[in-house]
Amino acid sequence: MRLRRYVLLRILQLVPVTLVVIVLNFLLIHLAPGDISIILAGETPDPAYLQHVREMYGLDRPFLEQLWRYLVQVGSGDLGMSFRSRQPVFDEIIDRIPATLLLVGTAMGLSVVVGTWIGARIARRPGSAVDSLVSAGAVMLFSVPVFWFGLMLILLFSVQVPILPAMGMSSLDGPREGIGRVLDVAHHLVLPVLSLMTVSVGQYIRIARTSVAEVMGESYITTVRAIGFPDRRIVQHYALRNALLPVVTVLGLQLGLILTGAVLTETVFSWPGLGRLIYEAILARDTPVIMGAFIAMSVTVAIASLATDLVYAALDPRVTL
Amino acid sequence: MALLRLPDGAPRTPAIVISLLVVALAVVVAVAAPWLGLPDPDAMEAIPYQPPNARHWFGTDNFGRDVLSRIVWGTRLALIVAVVSSLASSILGIVLGSISGYFGGWVDGVMSRTFDVFLLIPTFFLVLLIVALFGQGLQYTMIAIALTTWPRSARIMRSQVLSLKSRVYVQSSRAAGASHPWVLTRHVVPNGLAPIVTDGTILMGFAILTEAGLSFLGLGDQNAVSWGRMIFEGQRQLRIAPWLSIFPGLALLLLVAALNLLGDGLNQAMNPQLRRQSIRARGKPPVDLGPPKAEDAGAPILDVRGLKMEYRLPKGAIRAVDGVDFTLPRGGSLGVVGESGCGKSSLGAALLQVMAPNAVYTAGDVSVAGRPILKDGQVVRAGSRDAVMDIRWTRVSIIFQSAMNALNPVLTVRQQLMEAYRLHRPAEDEAAAVARIEALFDLIGIPHRRMTAYPHELSGGMRQRVMIALSLLHEPDLVIADEPTTALDVLIQDQILGEIDALRRRLGLGLILISHDMGAVAETCDRVAVMYAGEIVEIAPTSVIFGDPRHPYTRALMGALPTVTGPKRPLETLAGEPFTPTGDIVGCRFAPRCAMATDRCRAEAPAPVAVAADHLARCHYARDDARIPA
Ligand code: SF4
């Protein structure tokens, strides 16, 4: 019962974030130089479409009424129309989610596994030369500009030693279904995932290192050492289990950065996901899509932070709801 | 730099030094750009597409512009973005965070919620939107970065203010009639700046990367040379002129990494806890004595000779256990008493080789039932396995001070006992483990249903009982109980001690009871060792220690015992500071606090004196009854 109340309460906390984002959006449109109807409809020679947009947003109504209309409209999931495709922005975004999810999900999953593994390993000997080197390396990793790293990967693995594709999600003449299709996509996935991983893997190495080292200093670890568990098993089994909590927290906090990385990575590799959509929208000055993406990304990040809290509560028995 | 005054002893690590150099180089290059004698970054004069050569170190681009020169000028833009946006962000954060923390109450409630909301807005997407709406310009990029990052410094400032607010000088200046803004700017803000500056360096790196990403999408400032823009333009020539992309990216990586490493290093320097963690001492190498020999049934369960263990700290070594000898026969019980910090808990951990990572043995032999586990301060091994592994928990177990911390908070009692049971008896099945655990629970008086509880769901006394059950799991010969009752209230303390004593007699257990409480030891142990500054200063049968103590320190401890007339005084009320065994020690360690110290005491360290066959005291005058006033 208490759990349900807690979940409900936390979901309610999404409301202020969403409100702030929508209002910010609205204010920015009104502050921007130029005719609002042109911002929203694009430079169109079609006066009927212009009129349609004016009415939809109530552009001839008083300011506050416009704000209210906008809130209601966005709140009900209507993010406006892309004037490039004349499709609802919402649908455009939904269409692109699977590709981005594949890229971001794979990169994040691998980052967590690889980063935590490395971090836990170096935490066994804090202060050693290997630890200092790897820790500094981890800082370097999250200082790498993703898009540049992507280009360097292309240079190495598609130009110098052409073994991996540099563009798109599948080959034009590749298999359309079955295991062949999966392999083809996986082949295309390698470089984008590697480049996107630089955003997060360094963070996970550091978080895992710090929290494992911290947990290793706890009394209950001394207890299991005294009981006779071998060191290796203590790190893998006990320290890691307790240290995973902070890793989970970072997972949520990192999402904004990872989505940013995804936009840049998708641009470099022409990956047909959300990032690519945003890039195309920028090139075409398709403002409604950019606004929609901003709202969608903000809400996603807020939901991720909420999910993080819930997972944290589920993992740690000490959290009483 | 005055703001960055590092705490004393903060490490000037290679990472900090190198990053400072890189950042300094970037600043110099950016300021001196016009006078470096480089070609105009926008001049399209050279032959296009030249690979790096003697005249153009980094080559030329498709328009015949010099890449090195463009990178140098790009440094300016990177630094401007870094400084302006992080300054704007910090100032906004400092102002709002201070207000929130200083006024507290509902103001704080509303404001800290606002911080949380703004932190969730993804910077890059807001930047994209602003640039799409307002046009391409550096100022918009910087505004957007500041707008989404200020809550970081606001949060830091808020907590700084909250903690500083309560300190006396702020309150006294309020009492003296100073106004709110004055108090804030004069006292609170300067104190909270250090962590914000640290965070600011990391923020600078973030700002540079954000601007570069934006320029890479073609949305940067059109009129300035930017590294991101260079990569954007270079990517089309990636195949024919890779140097156009490689060098600006390297510059980006170098500067951002330097800023991040710097922020990280400063963070560690300001956080002593992070630093302490990284100390790991290397002791003597282990010694391989071959396969363990057969157990000697006549040998005492524990034999300790000249055991020395020290903690390595940045300021030097503390010799926490400094030459301890004793022997415990099978089924015997020894109380180890002393003030906190005398080394008694370190002794307990040292016996089972479970000390902190910065602790090392420097000398001594320890053997359990005749088998050596430590020889000349070297850990004994057989093959790749430490000899101590054969005795942990099956022969010797420990009950730790606070069961709250000694049990894993995220595992149930059952899981922890079960895993410990199956570690040493992998062949047995779950039912056997449960049967053993239930039998122990009955023995100690824990209801079976408590097995599925997490440690935090149990009362203090129950938790300690679980710890006792855990220690008895594999029927050890010896249990080391390190202050088993400290965290409990008095009534439960007596109960638990009584239970330990009863169990010991019933199971024929050996016991080492480590305690600061002479009374507890008197009831439970046959012999008592009194520790001071890493040494056993007196050891004798319990009745002798209480009836005829010879060391002045032991006598002082007795004075702290409850008497019929007076209330119980804790040990800590002994006059003077406990002695810390570090560096060269001349004379008796107790001399500074000893009422009867003489010149001889201050010049010459006393050796243990045999008062009787079974009674040693480390005092020059231990045998000299006349000299010791009762
Ligand atoms: S040797 Fe001297 S100073 Fe030390 S305990 Fe004995 S009398 Fe006191």
Side-chain angles (χ1 to χ4, degrees), chain B residues 537 550-553 587-598 600-602 604-606 618-622 627-628:
Chain B
V537 293
R550 291 305 178 103
H551 196 283
Y553 180 61
C588 176
R589 298 175 188 204
F590 190 55
R593 294 165 87 183
C594 183
M596 6 172 328
T598 61
R600 182 181 173 204
C601 303
R602 281 179 279 270
E604 183 190 332
R618 211 181 259 274
C619 170
H620 290 310
Y621 306 107
R627 292 255 2 212
I628 300 186

PDB file of all heavy atoms in Angstrom, chain B residues 537 550-553 587-598 600-602 604-606 618-622 627-628, ligand 1:
ATOM      1  N   VAL B 537      50.755  -4.184  29.016  1.00  0.00           N
ATOM      2  CA  VAL B 537      51.543  -3.654  30.129  1.00  0.00           C
ATOM      3  C   VAL B 537      51.443  -4.542  31.365  1.00  0.00           C
ATOM      4  O   VAL B 537      52.288  -4.488  32.245  1.00  0.00           O
ATOM      5  CB  VAL B 537      51.160  -2.201  30.487  1.00  0.00           C
ATOM      6  CG1 VAL B 537      51.538  -1.260  29.358  1.00  0.00           C
ATOM      7  CG2 VAL B 537      49.695  -2.076  30.819  1.00  0.00           C
ATOM      8  N   ARG B 550      50.060  -4.547  39.577  1.00  0.00           N
ATOM      9  CA  ARG B 550      51.376  -3.982  39.797  1.00  0.00           C
ATOM     10  C   ARG B 550      51.674  -2.802  38.885  1.00  0.00           C
ATOM     11  O   ARG B 550      52.569  -2.023  39.165  1.00  0.00           O
ATOM     12  CB  ARG B 550      52.447  -5.059  39.585  1.00  0.00           C
ATOM     13  CG  ARG B 550      52.422  -6.122  40.641  1.00  0.00           C
ATOM     14  CD  ARG B 550      52.536  -5.496  42.010  1.00  0.00           C
ATOM     15  NE  ARG B 550      52.466  -6.477  43.062  1.00  0.00           N
ATOM     16  CZ  ARG B 550      53.539  -6.919  43.730  1.00  0.00           C
ATOM     17  NH1 ARG B 550      54.730  -6.473  43.428  1.00  0.00           N
ATOM     18  NH2 ARG B 550      53.386  -7.799  44.680  1.00  0.00           N
ATOM     19  N   HIS B 551      50.974  -2.708  37.786  1.00  0.00           N
ATOM     20  CA  HIS B 551      51.277  -1.593  36.880  1.00  0.00           C
ATOM     21  C   HIS B 551      50.409  -0.387  37.252  1.00  0.00           C
ATOM     22  O   HIS B 551      49.203  -0.544  37.474  1.00  0.00           O
ATOM     23  CB  HIS B 551      51.008  -2.015  35.439  1.00  0.00           C
ATOM     24  CG  HIS B 551      51.646  -1.107  34.423  1.00  0.00           C
ATOM     25  ND1 HIS B 551      51.121   0.113  34.100  1.00  0.00           N
ATOM     26  CD2 HIS B 551      52.787  -1.240  33.692  1.00  0.00           C
ATOM     27  CE1 HIS B 551      51.898   0.697  33.191  1.00  0.00           C
ATOM     28  NE2 HIS B 551      52.922  -0.111  32.932  1.00  0.00           N
ATOM     29  N   PRO B 552      51.013   0.784  37.301  1.00  0.00           N
ATOM     30  CA  PRO B 552      50.218   1.965  37.686  1.00  0.00           C
ATOM     31  C   PRO B 552      49.010   2.178  36.777  1.00  0.00           C
ATOM     32  O   PRO B 552      47.970   2.657  37.221  1.00  0.00           O
ATOM     33  CB  PRO B 552      51.210   3.118  37.544  1.00  0.00           C
ATOM     34  CG  PRO B 552      52.545   2.500  37.694  1.00  0.00           C
ATOM     35  CD  PRO B 552      52.443   1.103  37.166  1.00  0.00           C
ATOM     36  N   TYR B 553      49.138   1.795  35.491  1.00  0.00           N
ATOM     37  CA  TYR B 553      48.008   1.981  34.585  1.00  0.00           C
ATOM     38  C   TYR B 553      46.867   1.052  34.978  1.00  0.00           C
ATOM     39  O   TYR B 553      45.699   1.458  34.991  1.00  0.00           O
ATOM     40  CB  TYR B 553      48.459   1.718  33.146  1.00  0.00           C
ATOM     41  CG  TYR B 553      47.360   1.883  32.131  1.00  0.00           C
ATOM     42  CD1 TYR B 553      46.712   3.119  31.965  1.00  0.00           C
ATOM     43  CD2 TYR B 553      46.938   0.812  31.341  1.00  0.00           C
ATOM     44  CE1 TYR B 553      45.691   3.270  31.048  1.00  0.00           C
ATOM     45  CE2 TYR B 553      45.920   0.969  30.415  1.00  0.00           C
ATOM     46  CZ  TYR B 553      45.299   2.194  30.271  1.00  0.00           C
ATOM     47  OH  TYR B 553      44.296   2.342  29.363  1.00  0.00           O
ATOM     48  N   GLY B 587      61.883   5.843  26.769  1.00  0.00           N
ATOM     49  CA  GLY B 587      61.309   5.742  28.103  1.00  0.00           C
ATOM     50  C   GLY B 587      59.993   5.011  28.129  1.00  0.00           C
ATOM     51  O   GLY B 587      59.559   4.420  27.137  1.00  0.00           O
ATOM     52  N   CYS B 588      59.320   5.076  29.273  1.00  0.00           N
ATOM     53  CA  CYS B 588      58.060   4.377  29.470  1.00  0.00           C
ATOM     54  C   CYS B 588      56.926   5.132  28.788  1.00  0.00           C
ATOM     55  O   CYS B 588      56.813   6.346  28.920  1.00  0.00           O
ATOM     56  CB  CYS B 588      57.769   4.242  30.968  1.00  0.00           C
ATOM     57  SG  CYS B 588      56.156   3.496  31.294  1.00  0.00           S
ATOM     58  N   ARG B 589      56.091   4.392  28.048  1.00  0.00           N
ATOM     59  CA  ARG B 589      55.007   5.050  27.308  1.00  0.00           C
ATOM     60  C   ARG B 589      53.966   5.662  28.237  1.00  0.00           C
ATOM     61  O   ARG B 589      53.228   6.565  27.841  1.00  0.00           O
ATOM     62  CB  ARG B 589      54.331   4.029  26.385  1.00  0.00           C
ATOM     63  CG  ARG B 589      55.312   3.510  25.368  1.00  0.00           C
ATOM     64  CD  ARG B 589      54.758   2.418  24.497  1.00  0.00           C
ATOM     65  NE  ARG B 589      55.878   1.907  23.711  1.00  0.00           N
ATOM     66  CZ  ARG B 589      55.777   1.290  22.550  1.00  0.00           C
ATOM     67  NH1 ARG B 589      54.592   1.075  22.044  1.00  0.00           N
ATOM     68  NH2 ARG B 589      56.835   0.898  21.918  1.00  0.00           N
ATOM     69  N   PHE B 590      53.893   5.144  29.437  1.00  0.00           N
ATOM     70  CA  PHE B 590      52.871   5.645  30.355  1.00  0.00           C
ATOM     71  C   PHE B 590      53.391   6.831  31.185  1.00  0.00           C
ATOM     72  O   PHE B 590      52.604   7.505  31.853  1.00  0.00           O
ATOM     73  CB  PHE B 590      52.411   4.513  31.281  1.00  0.00           C
ATOM     74  CG  PHE B 590      51.205   4.852  32.095  1.00  0.00           C
ATOM     75  CD1 PHE B 590      50.029   5.296  31.493  1.00  0.00           C
ATOM     76  CD2 PHE B 590      51.242   4.747  33.484  1.00  0.00           C
ATOM     77  CE1 PHE B 590      48.918   5.619  32.252  1.00  0.00           C
ATOM     78  CE2 PHE B 590      50.123   5.071  34.247  1.00  0.00           C
ATOM     79  CZ  PHE B 590      48.956   5.502  33.627  1.00  0.00           C
ATOM     80  N   ALA B 591      54.698   7.078  31.108  1.00  0.00           N
ATOM     81  CA  ALA B 591      55.310   8.096  31.972  1.00  0.00           C
ATOM     82  C   ALA B 591      54.574   9.441  31.976  1.00  0.00           C
ATOM     83  O   ALA B 591      54.377  10.027  33.050  1.00  0.00           O
ATOM     84  CB  ALA B 591      56.774   8.265  31.610  1.00  0.00           C
ATOM     85  N   PRO B 592      54.154   9.974  30.817  1.00  0.00           N
ATOM     86  CA  PRO B 592      53.514  11.305  30.859  1.00  0.00           C
ATOM     87  C   PRO B 592      52.256  11.340  31.724  1.00  0.00           C
ATOM     88  O   PRO B 592      51.874  12.417  32.186  1.00  0.00           O
ATOM     89  CB  PRO B 592      53.157  11.571  29.390  1.00  0.00           C
ATOM     90  CG  PRO B 592      54.053  10.698  28.594  1.00  0.00           C
ATOM     91  CD  PRO B 592      54.316   9.490  29.434  1.00  0.00           C
ATOM     92  N   ARG B 593      51.628  10.185  31.939  1.00  0.00           N
ATOM     93  CA  ARG B 593      50.405  10.188  32.739  1.00  0.00           C
ATOM     94  C   ARG B 593      50.614   9.508  34.085  1.00  0.00           C
ATOM     95  O   ARG B 593      49.669   9.407  34.872  1.00  0.00           O
ATOM     96  CB  ARG B 593      49.295   9.449  31.987  1.00  0.00           C
ATOM     97  CG  ARG B 593      48.847  10.133  30.718  1.00  0.00           C
ATOM     98  CD  ARG B 593      48.030   9.179  29.867  1.00  0.00           C
ATOM     99  NE  ARG B 593      46.620   9.190  30.236  1.00  0.00           N
ATOM    100  CZ  ARG B 593      45.722   8.387  29.660  1.00  0.00           C
ATOM    101  NH1 ARG B 593      46.112   7.507  28.774  1.00  0.00           N
ATOM    102  NH2 ARG B 593      44.468   8.457  30.021  1.00  0.00           N
ATOM    103  N   CYS B 594      51.799   9.002  34.309  1.00  0.00           N
ATOM    104  CA  CYS B 594      51.999   8.178  35.502  1.00  0.00           C
ATOM    105  C   CYS B 594      52.328   9.056  36.704  1.00  0.00           C
ATOM    106  O   CYS B 594      53.214   9.914  36.642  1.00  0.00           O
ATOM    107  CB  CYS B 594      53.129   7.187  35.256  1.00  0.00           C
ATOM    108  SG  CYS B 594      53.403   6.076  36.643  1.00  0.00           S
ATOM    109  N   ALA B 595      51.622   8.822  37.806  1.00  0.00           N
ATOM    110  CA  ALA B 595      51.803   9.644  39.003  1.00  0.00           C
ATOM    111  C   ALA B 595      53.178   9.399  39.625  1.00  0.00           C
ATOM    112  O   ALA B 595      53.705  10.252  40.332  1.00  0.00           O
ATOM    113  CB  ALA B 595      50.707   9.341  40.011  1.00  0.00           C
ATOM    114  N   MET B 596      53.771   8.205  39.371  1.00  0.00           N
ATOM    115  CA  MET B 596      55.018   7.911  40.057  1.00  0.00           C
ATOM    116  C   MET B 596      56.214   7.857  39.118  1.00  0.00           C
ATOM    117  O   MET B 596      57.235   7.265  39.433  1.00  0.00           O
ATOM    118  CB  MET B 596      54.925   6.599  40.812  1.00  0.00           C
ATOM    119  CG  MET B 596      53.642   5.857  40.560  1.00  0.00           C
ATOM    120  SD  MET B 596      53.666   4.230  41.260  1.00  0.00           S
ATOM    121  CE  MET B 596      55.355   3.790  41.115  1.00  0.00           C
ATOM    122  N   ALA B 597      56.080   8.488  37.957  1.00  0.00           N
ATOM    123  CA  ALA B 597      57.172   8.437  36.997  1.00  0.00           C
ATOM    124  C   ALA B 597      58.426   9.086  37.567  1.00  0.00           C
ATOM    125  O   ALA B 597      58.353  10.106  38.251  1.00  0.00           O
ATOM    126  CB  ALA B 597      56.762   9.142  35.709  1.00  0.00           C
ATOM    127  N   THR B 598      59.576   8.461  37.297  1.00  0.00           N
ATOM    128  CA  THR B 598      60.858   9.005  37.754  1.00  0.00           C
ATOM    129  C   THR B 598      61.702   9.338  36.539  1.00  0.00           C
ATOM    130  O   THR B 598      61.281   9.088  35.401  1.00  0.00           O
ATOM    131  CB  THR B 598      61.603   7.953  38.584  1.00  0.00           C
ATOM    132  OG1 THR B 598      61.840   6.834  37.735  1.00  0.00           O
ATOM    133  CG2 THR B 598      60.798   7.527  39.799  1.00  0.00           C
ATOM    134  N   ARG B 600      64.308   7.820  35.626  1.00  0.00           N
ATOM    135  CA  ARG B 600      64.626   6.545  34.988  1.00  0.00           C
ATOM    136  C   ARG B 600      63.510   6.151  34.005  1.00  0.00           C
ATOM    137  O   ARG B 600      63.786   5.702  32.887  1.00  0.00           O
ATOM    138  CB  ARG B 600      64.762   5.468  36.065  1.00  0.00           C
ATOM    139  CG  ARG B 600      65.143   4.133  35.470  1.00  0.00           C
ATOM    140  CD  ARG B 600      65.243   3.071  36.519  1.00  0.00           C
ATOM    141  NE  ARG B 600      65.457   1.776  35.886  1.00  0.00           N
ATOM    142  CZ  ARG B 600      65.133   0.622  36.451  1.00  0.00           C
ATOM    143  NH1 ARG B 600      64.563   0.607  37.649  1.00  0.00           N
ATOM    144  NH2 ARG B 600      65.368  -0.515  35.833  1.00  0.00           N
ATOM    145  N   CYS B 601      62.257   6.342  34.432  1.00  0.00           N
ATOM    146  CA  CYS B 601      61.122   6.006  33.573  1.00  0.00           C
ATOM    147  C   CYS B 601      61.178   6.781  32.276  1.00  0.00           C
ATOM    148  O   CYS B 601      60.856   6.262  31.213  1.00  0.00           O
ATOM    149  CB  CYS B 601      59.797   6.337  34.263  1.00  0.00           C
ATOM    150  SG  CYS B 601      59.594   5.516  35.827  1.00  0.00           S
ATOM    151  N   ARG B 602      61.573   8.066  32.375  1.00  0.00           N
ATOM    152  CA  ARG B 602      61.578   8.906  31.177  1.00  0.00           C
ATOM    153  C   ARG B 602      62.741   8.603  30.252  1.00  0.00           C
ATOM    154  O   ARG B 602      62.710   8.952  29.085  1.00  0.00           O
ATOM    155  CB  ARG B 602      61.574  10.382  31.595  1.00  0.00           C
ATOM    156  CG  ARG B 602      60.188  10.858  32.016  1.00  0.00           C
ATOM    157  CD  ARG B 602      60.164  12.303  32.444  1.00  0.00           C
ATOM    158  NE  ARG B 602      60.612  12.487  33.809  1.00  0.00           N
ATOM    159  CZ  ARG B 602      59.792  12.464  34.871  1.00  0.00           C
ATOM    160  NH1 ARG B 602      58.500  12.299  34.715  1.00  0.00           N
ATOM    161  NH2 ARG B 602      60.278  12.614  36.084  1.00  0.00           N
ATOM    162  N   GLU B 604      64.370   5.289  30.124  1.00  0.00           N
ATOM    163  CA  GLU B 604      64.586   3.877  29.810  1.00  0.00           C
ATOM    164  C   GLU B 604      63.231   3.170  29.737  1.00  0.00           C
ATOM    165  O   GLU B 604      62.433   3.253  30.674  1.00  0.00           O
ATOM    166  CB  GLU B 604      65.438   3.282  30.932  1.00  0.00           C
ATOM    167  CG  GLU B 604      65.831   1.846  30.751  1.00  0.00           C
ATOM    168  CD  GLU B 604      66.462   1.304  32.045  1.00  0.00           C
ATOM    169  OE1 GLU B 604      67.049   2.111  32.817  1.00  0.00           O
ATOM    170  OE2 GLU B 604      66.333   0.106  32.276  1.00  0.00           O
ATOM    171  N   ALA B 605      62.984   2.507  28.618  1.00  0.00           N
ATOM    172  CA  ALA B 605      61.718   1.794  28.474  1.00  0.00           C
ATOM    173  C   ALA B 605      61.737   0.547  29.348  1.00  0.00           C
ATOM    174  O   ALA B 605      62.696  -0.216  29.294  1.00  0.00           O
ATOM    175  CB  ALA B 605      61.489   1.426  27.018  1.00  0.00           C
ATOM    176  N   PRO B 606      60.686   0.317  30.135  1.00  0.00           N
ATOM    177  CA  PRO B 606      60.679  -0.851  31.004  1.00  0.00           C
ATOM    178  C   PRO B 606      60.428  -2.132  30.216  1.00  0.00           C
ATOM    179  O   PRO B 606      59.628  -2.132  29.292  1.00  0.00           O
ATOM    180  CB  PRO B 606      59.525  -0.567  31.979  1.00  0.00           C
ATOM    181  CG  PRO B 606      58.634   0.369  31.235  1.00  0.00           C
ATOM    182  CD  PRO B 606      59.496   1.177  30.328  1.00  0.00           C
ATOM    183  N   ARG B 618      54.877  -4.463  32.889  1.00  0.00           N
ATOM    184  CA  ARG B 618      55.891  -3.690  32.178  1.00  0.00           C
ATOM    185  C   ARG B 618      56.116  -2.372  32.908  1.00  0.00           C
ATOM    186  O   ARG B 618      55.699  -1.315  32.445  1.00  0.00           O
ATOM    187  CB  ARG B 618      55.383  -3.431  30.763  1.00  0.00           C
ATOM    188  CG  ARG B 618      56.448  -3.323  29.711  1.00  0.00           C
ATOM    189  CD  ARG B 618      55.780  -3.054  28.381  1.00  0.00           C
ATOM    190  NE  ARG B 618      55.667  -4.224  27.531  1.00  0.00           N
ATOM    191  CZ  ARG B 618      56.645  -4.630  26.709  1.00  0.00           C
ATOM    192  NH1 ARG B 618      57.761  -3.963  26.620  1.00  0.00           N
ATOM    193  NH2 ARG B 618      56.465  -5.688  25.971  1.00  0.00           N
ATOM    194  N   CYS B 619      56.761  -2.453  34.085  1.00  0.00           N
ATOM    195  CA  CYS B 619      57.023  -1.246  34.869  1.00  0.00           C
ATOM    196  C   CYS B 619      58.304  -1.467  35.646  1.00  0.00           C
ATOM    197  O   CYS B 619      58.524  -2.551  36.189  1.00  0.00           O
ATOM    198  CB  CYS B 619      55.850  -0.976  35.820  1.00  0.00           C
ATOM    199  SG  CYS B 619      56.192   0.315  37.035  1.00  0.00           S
ATOM    200  N   HIS B 620      59.154  -0.458  35.706  1.00  0.00           N
ATOM    201  CA  HIS B 620      60.428  -0.593  36.422  1.00  0.00           C
ATOM    202  C   HIS B 620      60.212  -0.979  37.875  1.00  0.00           C
ATOM    203  O   HIS B 620      61.044  -1.615  38.496  1.00  0.00           O
ATOM    204  CB  HIS B 620      61.194   0.732  36.385  1.00  0.00           C
ATOM    205  CG  HIS B 620      61.724   1.064  35.024  1.00  0.00           C
ATOM    206  ND1 HIS B 620      62.453   0.170  34.265  1.00  0.00           N
ATOM    207  CD2 HIS B 620      61.625   2.186  34.266  1.00  0.00           C
ATOM    208  CE1 HIS B 620      62.786   0.735  33.122  1.00  0.00           C
ATOM    209  NE2 HIS B 620      62.283   1.971  33.088  1.00  0.00           N
ATOM    210  N   TYR B 621      59.098  -0.547  38.408  1.00  0.00           N
ATOM    211  CA  TYR B 621      58.918  -0.703  39.852  1.00  0.00           C
ATOM    212  C   TYR B 621      57.845  -1.744  40.182  1.00  0.00           C
ATOM    213  O   TYR B 621      57.285  -1.732  41.258  1.00  0.00           O
ATOM    214  CB  TYR B 621      58.582   0.648  40.474  1.00  0.00           C
ATOM    215  CG  TYR B 621      59.616   1.689  40.101  1.00  0.00           C
ATOM    216  CD1 TYR B 621      59.324   2.696  39.190  1.00  0.00           C
ATOM    217  CD2 TYR B 621      60.905   1.614  40.624  1.00  0.00           C
ATOM    218  CE1 TYR B 621      60.282   3.619  38.821  1.00  0.00           C
ATOM    219  CE2 TYR B 621      61.876   2.535  40.254  1.00  0.00           C
ATOM    220  CZ  TYR B 621      61.569   3.536  39.349  1.00  0.00           C
ATOM    221  OH  TYR B 621      62.526   4.433  38.983  1.00  0.00           O
ATOM    222  N   ALA B 622      57.599  -2.638  39.220  1.00  0.00           N
ATOM    223  CA  ALA B 622      56.518  -3.594  39.421  1.00  0.00           C
ATOM    224  C   ALA B 622      56.754  -4.487  40.632  1.00  0.00           C
ATOM    225  O   ALA B 622      55.830  -4.862  41.343  1.00  0.00           O
ATOM    226  CB  ALA B 622      56.342  -4.463  38.183  1.00  0.00           C
ATOM    227  N   ARG B 627      57.803   1.198  46.599  1.00  0.00           N
ATOM    228  CA  ARG B 627      57.797   2.420  45.824  1.00  0.00           C
ATOM    229  C   ARG B 627      56.409   2.744  45.261  1.00  0.00           C
ATOM    230  O   ARG B 627      56.178   3.822  44.730  1.00  0.00           O
ATOM    231  CB  ARG B 627      58.782   2.311  44.664  1.00  0.00           C
ATOM    232  CG  ARG B 627      60.216   2.261  45.121  1.00  0.00           C
ATOM    233  CD  ARG B 627      60.942   3.565  44.873  1.00  0.00           C
ATOM    234  NE  ARG B 627      60.083   4.588  44.290  1.00  0.00           N
ATOM    235  CZ  ARG B 627      60.511   5.507  43.465  1.00  0.00           C
ATOM    236  NH1 ARG B 627      61.766   5.515  43.104  1.00  0.00           N
ATOM    237  NH2 ARG B 627      59.712   6.434  43.012  1.00  0.00           N
ATOM    238  N   ILE B 628      55.511   1.773  45.289  1.00  0.00           N
ATOM    239  CA  ILE B 628      54.210   2.050  44.680  1.00  0.00           C
ATOM    240  C   ILE B 628      53.178   2.358  45.754  1.00  0.00           C
ATOM    241  O   ILE B 628      52.786   1.485  46.513  1.00  0.00           O
ATOM    242  CB  ILE B 628      53.737   0.863  43.828  1.00  0.00           C
ATOM    243  CG1 ILE B 628      54.757   0.605  42.703  1.00  0.00           C
ATOM    244  CG2 ILE B 628      52.358   1.112  43.270  1.00  0.00           C
ATOM    245  CD1 ILE B 628      54.339  -0.443  41.728  1.00  0.00           C
TER     246      ILE B 628
HETATM  247  S1  SF4 C   1      57.904   2.540  34.414  1.00  0.00           S
HETATM  248 FE1  SF4 C   1      57.689   4.430  35.510  1.00  0.00          FE
HETATM  249  S2  SF4 C   1      56.365   5.666  34.282  1.00  0.00           S
HETATM  250 FE2  SF4 C   1      56.180   3.647  33.511  1.00  0.00          FE
HETATM  251  S3  SF4 C   1      54.499   2.824  34.611  1.00  0.00           S
HETATM  252 FE3  SF4 C   1      56.236   2.242  35.795  1.00  0.00          FE
HETATM  253  S4  SF4 C   1      56.443   3.877  37.246  1.00  0.00           S
HETATM  254 FE4  SF4 C   1      55.052   4.635  35.678  1.00  0.00          FE
END
